């Protein structure tokens, strides 16, 4: 961990997770002021408070101070401890909101992390657990984070607004990360998907599959979309359905897209046929954006490149999302690292949208809290 460095100060509620995760990894305290100060309901929301509680559970010796109105947060990170943890996530956001940050922190624990998260598994805002399992886990394997204990399992599904889902995630610890060279995404060779339905007719999932295939069959024959209909206690507390699609390339790159139905009692009812077709179009758009990492996992890839050994890492990305651009600014302020950014216009060898080649030299981050065997 870094020595007791001067604390960083931010204003506003945006990018709270980024700031707290980077603070934990760099060991630099962070102070965030004016969190929704002018709002009718000022301060931290329940899901953000739940995220801070989760950080407190997986670290040892963190100091967290929140003022009475919840508009100011001071966070002094402790050591990443890990071990077996259970956490009830807020149903306002999905488990993916919490899991995205855990994926960044899990390899650097003292003890391998084994965590049970309860709440909403699929919603319309955050990446679902299905997509993270299909795209983020293979990405972590590229960096050398792999082993028998590396798994992400959906025990129960839970749809908003009731939740009731349960997810198990376990990850081994690593002392150092491998540098990566992901510059050639390759061509799409197969598409896999998962159409799920809970507390509605099982036929819904089949209707989603048929409509998604009606679009994707024009491009590639190797398509298989699994249907997952959970019953009884495993189906959570609210009805809903949805689809996640993942395209795999010849070089082992995964690009994903997903859609979920509107929560019960909110908005108009969505037809499963429309949802299937729209999700297929979203996947085609993601493939057009291209790159070696899909837009959901751009920031995860850049973080792991930053924390790698003192060696050059390269990755080819599609257009950078606004979230990723802000993440690069945060990486600069927490780790003083700058990426070399080269634009690659689409031409003969690069199909689809314009690409960006990101290059950096890792800071040689070493997991000091890992116990020596």
């Amino acid at each position: 961990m870094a020595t007791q460095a001067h604390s960083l100060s931010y204003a506003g509620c945006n990018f709270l997770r980024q700031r707290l995760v980077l603070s934990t990894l760099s060991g630099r305290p962070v102070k965030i002021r004016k969190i929704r100060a002018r709002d009718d309901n000022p301060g931290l929301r329940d899901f953000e408070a739940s995220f801070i509680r989760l950080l407190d559970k997986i670290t040892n010796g963190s100091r967290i101070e929140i003022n009475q109105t919840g508009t100011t947060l001071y966070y002094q990170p402790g050591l990443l401890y890990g071990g077996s943890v259970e956490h009830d996530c807020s149903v306002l956001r999905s488990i993916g909101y919490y899991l995205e940050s855990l994926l960044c922190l899990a390899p650097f624990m003292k003890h391998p992390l084994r965590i049970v998260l309860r709440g909403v598994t699929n919603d319309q805002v955050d990446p679902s657990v299905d997509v993270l399992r299909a795209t983020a886990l293979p990405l972590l394997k590229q960096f050398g984070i792999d082993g028998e204990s590396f798994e992400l399992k959906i025990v129960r599904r839970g749809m908003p607004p009731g939740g009731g889902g349960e997810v198990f995630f376990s990850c081994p610890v690593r002392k150092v990360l491998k540098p990566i060279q992901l510059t050639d995404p390759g061509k799409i060779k197969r598409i896999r998907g998962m159409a799920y339905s809970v507390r509605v007719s099982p036929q819904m999932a089949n209707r989603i599959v048929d409509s998604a295939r009606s679009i994707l069959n024009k491009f590639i024959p190797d398509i298989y979309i699994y249907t997952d209909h959970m019953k009884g206690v495993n189906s959570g507390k609210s009805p809903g359905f949805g689809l996640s699609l993942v395209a795999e390339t010849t070089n082992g790159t995964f690009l994903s897209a997903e859609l979920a139905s509107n929560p019960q009692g909110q908005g108009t009812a969505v037809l499963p046929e429309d949802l299937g077709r729209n999700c297929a179009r979203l996947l085609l758009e993601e493939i057009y954006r291209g790159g070696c990492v899909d837009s959901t996992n751009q920031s995860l890839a850049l973080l792991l490149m930053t924390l790698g050994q003192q060696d050059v890492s390269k990755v080819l990305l599609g257009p950078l999302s606004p979230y990723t651009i802000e993440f690069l600014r945060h990486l600069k302020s927490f780790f003083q690292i700058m990426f070399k950014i080269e634009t690659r216009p689409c031409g003969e060898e690069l199909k689809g949208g314009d690409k960006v080649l990101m290059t950096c030299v890792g800071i040689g981050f070493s997991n000091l809290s890992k116990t020596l065997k």
Side-chain angles (χ1 to χ4, degrees):
M1 302 292 281
T3 51
Q4 190 59 51
H6 65 281
S7 76
L8 291 161
S9 187
Y10 292 102
C13 64
N14 283 346
F15 313 108
L16 179 85
R17 285 181 307 164
Q18 282 187 17
R19 290 164 183 167
L20 295 182
V21 164
L22 291 174
S23 164
T24 310
L25 288 170
S26 65
R28 299 181 69 173
V30 65
K31 184 171 189 176
I32 303 172
R33 296 172 299 111
K34 296 183 183 169
I35 302 174
R36 301 189 182 88
R38 298 183 168 203
D39 210 78
D40 294 342
N41 181 13
L44 290 165
R45 295 279 177 267
D46 283 352
F47 61 87
E48 291 163 335
S50 176
F51 178 73
I52 294 167
R53 277 196 296 274
L54 174 62
L55 276 183
D56 193 35
K57 282 180 187 175
I58 59 171
T59 55
N60 186 9
S62 292
R63 196 164 122 237
I64 299 157
E65 293 170 12
I66 302 171
N67 72 348
Q68 211 156 6
T69 51
T71 51
T72 305
L73 162 71
Y74 177 74
Y75 174 70
Q76 187 178 333
L79 290 170
L80 284 163
Y81 192 74
S84 293
V85 184
E86 290 192 12
H87 185 66
D88 291 322
C89 305
S90 164
V91 291
L92 299 172
R93 297 292 287 262
S94 94
I95 289 174
Y97 175 83
Y98 303 88
L99 207 50
E100 274 187 301
S101 299
L102 284 177
L103 288 165
C104 301
L105 297 171
F108 308 107
M109 301 281 175
K110 182 178 171 105
H111 300 291
L113 181 68
R114 296 170 57 81
I115 187 163
V116 175
L117 296 166
R118 297 190 185 87
V120 173
T121 54
N122 305 78
D123 73 353
Q124 296 176 315
V125 188
D126 300 294
S128 69
V129 184
D130 300 279
V131 159
L132 289 174
R133 182 170 61 185
T135 58
L137 297 199
L139 178 64
L140 286 168
K141 286 177 183 171
Q142 302 264 18
F143 287 92
I145 302 159
D146 198 3
E148 286 175 15
S149 62
F150 189 39
E151 66 165 334
L152 177 55
K153 194 166 63 184
I154 299 178
V155 184
R156 298 175 183 165
R157 276 193 194 280
M159 299 292 286
E166 187 176 305
V167 168
F168 172 73
F169 172 56
S170 69
C171 179
V173 289
R174 286 289 171 268
K175 192 151 177 66
V176 286
L177 298 180
K178 289 195 308 202
I180 57 160
Q181 305 284 329
L182 296 178
T183 51
D184 180 17
K187 290 184 164 53
I188 305 291
K189 66 174 177 182
R190 61 167 165 238
I191 293 174
R192 294 287 177 266
M194 172 75 80
Y196 57 87
S197 55
V198 290
R199 298 193 171 266
V200 293
S201 158
Q203 202 53 42
M204 290 288 195
N206 299 340
R207 286 163 63 185
I208 294 173
V209 173
D210 291 342
S211 60
R213 290 195 68 123
S214 70
I215 287 183
L216 297 175
N217 272 340
K218 299 171 189 167
F219 299 98
I220 191 169
D222 188 359
I223 300 169
Y224 197 89
I225 302 174
Y226 299 87
T227 56
D228 177 28
H229 180 71
M230 288 202 165
K231 294 190 181 74
V233 73
N234 289 344
S235 65
K237 297 175 182 170
S238 300
F241 52 87
L243 171 66
S244 60
L245 292 170
V246 177
E248 186 185 346
T249 70
T250 48
N251 289 356
T253 293
F254 295 86
L255 303 168
S256 66
E258 61 174 329
L259 271 181
S261 60
N262 286 330
Q264 184 183 18
Q266 296 173 27
T268 53
V270 184
L271 279 174
E273 284 79 9
D274 294 346
L275 185 133
R277 276 193 294 272
N278 290 340
C279 189
R281 290 189 187 109
L282 282 176
L283 182 71
L284 297 177
E285 192 179 316
E286 189 65 53
I287 292 169
Y288 176 80
R289 291 169 64 112
C292 294
V293 181
D294 68 347
S295 46
T296 328
N297 296 305
Q298 282 176 351
S299 52
L300 175 63
L302 296 176
L303 174 69
L304 295 176
M305 284 165 66
T306 303
L307 298 175
Q309 298 169 27
Q310 289 178 331
D311 202 347
V312 177
S313 286
K314 289 184 181 183
V315 68
L316 187 74
L317 300 177
L320 297 179
S321 66
Y323 187 81
T324 309
I325 293 166
E326 196 60 41
F327 189 72
L328 287 167
R329 290 181 185 137
H330 279 115
L331 279 177
K332 185 186 172 187
S333 47
F334 280 98
F335 289 111
Q336 291 80 46
I337 189 160
M338 303 270 279
F339 278 77
K340 182 182 172 195
I341 303 174
E342 300 167 78
T343 53
R344 293 285 172 93
C346 61
E348 284 306 306
E349 62 261 26
L350 287 175
K351 297 281 187 283
D354 294 345
K355 308 284 188 288
V356 187
L357 183 66
M358 309 289 289
T359 313
C360 83
V361 176
I363 59 165
F365 185 87
S366 160
N367 182 358
L368 298 178
S369 50
K370 178 175 183 276
T371 44
L372 297 169
K373 291 281 190 293

